[in-house]
Amino acid sequence: MHQRFEQHSEIPSTDPLVIIQAADQAGQVTALQDYLDHFQVRQPGIIPIKTPDRLVMVKTTTIILAEVQAATLMVFTADGVVETRETLRHLVERLASPDFVQVSKHSVLNLDHLVSLEDSFSGNMTAALTNQLKTAVSRKYVKLLMQRLGI
């Protein structure tokens, strides 16, 4: 990837214009656009998660894995498990962090807690995470995960 800066006095420095030029809109272009979209989004350090009986404040850095089991979203943290009825999609939107990657229709993992990946059957993979957690990486999401890992 190449980059250069061009000064234009009519464009305010508080709201720069970014132009991406490439042969097509694939691969690194898409990743770069996603990065730029989230660049100014303030990522929360703590998010509230509503459980059946209380509101739990969870540090986003401690979230290892979020996984749907039946109709319950299980949020695995370094401190334990928080159960909620929130949808996986809504949780990911609230996290608004590139550290969280969807690895199957039912789960999202935190790249900061990824220990290793190993091949599984049918093109799937198994992700080993901190706290001895494991989750399946669907072959549909393997390519995205590899892009996020820079592989």
Side-chain angles (χ1 to χ4, degrees), residues 13-108:
S13 61
T14 56
D15 190 24
L17 171 66
V18 177
I19 298 172
I20 302 169
Q21 296 179 336
D24 58 47
Q25 189 176 2
Q28 285 191 338
V29 172
T30 303
L32 183 57
Q33 287 176 312
D34 289 343
Y35 176 80
L36 291 172
D37 287 343
H38 292 96
F39 179 74
Q40 289 186 330
V41 175
R42 186 176 174 273
Q43 297 172 2
I46 295 177
I47 61 166
I49 298 178
K50 189 175 185 332
T51 68
D53 58 348
R54 62 190 171 143
L55 196 62
V56 180
M57 304 310 251
V58 177
K59 291 181 181 177
T60 57
T61 57
T62 67
I63 297 174
I64 301 168
L65 173 70
E67 190 169 67
V68 177
Q69 296 178 0
T72 303
L73 178 62
M74 310 290 284
V75 180
F76 296 89
T77 71
D79 304 320
V81 182
V82 179
E83 296 182 24
T84 182
R85 297 295 241 180
E86 182 177 357
T87 65
L88 183 62
R89 178 180 299 228
H90 187 252
L91 177 68
V92 170
E93 287 172 3
R94 291 194 312 129
L95 288 169
S97 171
D99 294 333
F100 291 91
V101 179
Q102 187 155 6
V103 292
S104 73
K105 185 177 176 184
H106 306 288
S107 60
V108 169

